[in-house]
Amino acid sequence: PDPLGEEIKITYNNKIDDVDLFVGLISEEPVNGGDLGELGCQIIGQTFRNLRDGDDIGTKVYILQTL
């Protein structure tokens, strides 16, 4: 049994849907020896994809400058 998981269950009265995002993120087991868990990796990855895809001109200028 995971002691941290048990504390979270007690704190949130066994209502997993009520757990705050930040609490969930810092409580996740890190993936592949990293610092973030699966959800944290998904959020960061989606944020970078949104930034990349939403800045069409800036991305093209950067790519052209690096060629």
Side-chain angles (χ1 to χ4, degrees), residues 9-20:
K9 284 170 101 177
I10 292 168
T11 302
Y12 287 92
N13 298 317
N14 291 321
K15 297 178 183 175
I16 192 72
D17 291 336
D18 290 344
V19 175
D20 295 324

Side-chain angles (χ1 to χ4, degrees), residues 60-67:
K60 287 180 182 175
V61 168
Y62 175 76
I63 290 171
L64 289 174
Q65 289 175 347
T66 58
L67 293 177

Side-chain angles (χ1 to χ4, degrees), residues 1 4 7 12 18 26 30 33 38 40 46 50 53 59-60 67:
L4 180 58
E7 285 295 321
Y12 287 92
D18 290 344
I26 63 172
E38 181 65 28
Q46 186 63 52
N50 290 346
D53 297 343
T59 304
K60 287 180 182 175
L67 293 177

Side-chain angles (χ1 to χ4, degrees), residues 19-40:
V19 175
D20 295 324
L21 176 61
F22 183 74
V23 171
L25 288 174
I26 63 172
S27 302
E28 282 188 309
E29 187 71 28
V31 293
N32 298 328
D35 294 325
L36 298 173
E38 181 65 28
L39 180 59

